[in-house]
Amino acid sequence: MTKIGVFDSGYGGLTILNAIRRQLPQYDYLYLGDNARAPYGTRSFEVIYEYTLQAVQWLFSHGCRLVIIACNTASAKALRTIQMHDIDPSIQRVLGVIRPTVEAVPSITRNGHVGIVATPGTVASNSYPLELAKLATSLPLHISQQACPMWVPLIESGEFREAGADYFVHKYIDELLSQDALIDTLILGCTHYPLLKDKIDAALSGRAVRTIAQGDIVAHSLSDYLRRHADIAAALSTEGTCEYVTTESPDKFNSSATLFLQEPIAAHHIDW
Ligand code: DGL
């Protein structure tokens, strides 16, 4: 089997995998969650690069031909280096989630005021403002970023539905709005954050702000990529399977993953 690998530091990439499988159900998928080392978002560039490379190499050595880094932090800190130095592009491809999201922004915002919520690592990399600045847009863009260091831990620990999570949702949304009260588009620049979308929308209540999750954008971009790269699409097997591996305990992964997938799964543990 020649699979599509999907990688995240933890459970967040499942929001991307869900959307990809809805659009491209025919392919075979292998999901890797490095839950034992999540979150990545507060780690240094060197560590995020080392962990991401290890995961990408593991996926390539276990039957993947194409790997989606379904993590903004790893896309921001490691994707470019891996693409340039660590893979053989004649047989291996690695894609991230930031570029497709950035390309979708101009068609979503009406007034050009865009807010981005993300991990401290993604915000510090400045990847979103830098990539958005490269776009030729008719409307000038005003970009504000807000780091939300508590959101991934709340989600990874399963505490995100509790009332205590409201405090940290309001805190970061209020801080973002104090940077720019005119924001009409909020990009969830972390693949974990769709699980907080209801609370985020509640914190934005009364404002005409569209909250954008990345799943459908990334799925659409992958589908377009495969149309443009027929050789890679032809090399992928099409039995419609999906396997899950985690660096944590599979029992813990299985029970938490159902919050993201709404279906039972049976993950396997891996060691590097
Ligand atoms: N889902 C990852 C992202 O999109 C979370 C990173 C983390 O582990 O902190 O950035």
Side-chain angles (χ1 to χ4, degrees):
M1 256 193 220
T2 315
K3 296 168 261 190
I4 298 177
V6 179
F7 162 67
D8 181 45
S9 59
Y11 302 110
L14 296 171
T15 62
I16 302 290
L17 178 69
N18 269 339
I20 292 177
R21 288 188 71 205
R22 266 198 310 271
Q23 278 196 37
L24 300 164
Q26 68 273 35
Y27 294 113
D28 296 298
Y29 296 92
L30 176 54
Y31 184 88
L32 165 53
D34 189 9
N35 303 76
R37 301 191 296 198
Y40 281 14
T42 43
R43 296 184 187 274
S44 67
F45 169 85
E46 290 77 13
V47 169
I48 294 169
Y49 167 66
E50 179 197 324
Y51 288 1
T52 304
L53 179 59
Q54 209 169 22
V56 166
Q57 286 175 334
W58 191 93
L59 287 165
F60 281 131
S61 65
H62 288 79
C64 296
R65 168 81 200 262
L66 171 65
V67 170
I68 313 297
I69 298 186
C71 174
N72 290 265
T73 311
S75 297
K77 301 274 190 174
L79 175 64
R80 179 71 69 88
T81 315
I82 291 175
Q83 283 173 330
M84 285 171 59
H85 301 293
D86 300 310
I87 59 165
D88 175 354
S90 67
I91 50 165
Q92 300 168 326
R93 295 291 167 94
V94 185
L95 304 173
V97 290
I98 293 181
R99 188 71 211 217
T101 308
V102 161
E103 284 168 359
V105 166
S107 63
I108 300 169
T109 178
R110 299 237 166 102
N111 69 2
H113 289 256
V114 177
I116 292 151
V117 280
T119 66
T122 301
V123 169
S125 75
N126 233 13
S127 297
Y128 273 96
L130 290 171
E131 290 295 325
L132 283 161
K134 291 182 198 160
L135 296 180
T137 53
S138 46
L139 190 67
L141 295 178
H142 305 268
I143 310 301
S144 305
Q145 301 192 89
Q146 178 64 45
C148 310
M150 285 303 291
W151 287 4
V152 170
L154 282 167
I155 294 164
E156 285 285 313
S157 64
E159 295 288 322
F160 66 97
R161 285 188 171 141
E162 304 301 321
D166 292 337
Y167 171 81
F168 285 105
V169 171
H170 276 275
K171 176 176 162 48
Y172 301 139
I173 292 298
D174 290 349
E175 285 174 16
L176 177 69
L177 292 173
S178 72
Q179 293 183 55
D180 183 357
L182 297 179
I183 286 166
D184 78 342
T185 302
L186 177 65
I187 304 294
L188 302 184
C190 171
T191 56
H192 282 69
Y193 295 176
L195 272 82
L196 286 171
K197 187 172 180 301
D198 289 348
K199 285 187 186 290
I200 292 169
D201 285 338
L204 287 164
S205 73
R207 291 172 183 267
V209 179
R210 282 181 70 189
T211 306
I212 308 295
Q214 298 172 289
D216 289 336
I217 295 172
V218 173
H220 180 76
S221 163
L222 176 61
S223 161
D224 181 53
Y225 180 89
L226 291 172
R227 249 193 313 275
R228 288 183 289 108
H229 297 84
D231 54 327
I232 295 171
L236 296 170
S237 57
T238 52
E239 291 178 26
T241 64
C242 190
E243 292 167 66
Y244 300 86
V245 296
T246 175
T247 53
E248 246 285 357
S249 129
D251 291 344
K252 186 170 182 297
F253 186 90
N254 294 342
S255 69
S256 297
T258 46
L259 295 172
F260 289 75
L261 296 169
Q262 278 89 45
E263 67 176 7
I265 59 155
H268 300 282
H269 173 79
I270 57 157
D271 282 316
W272 302 113

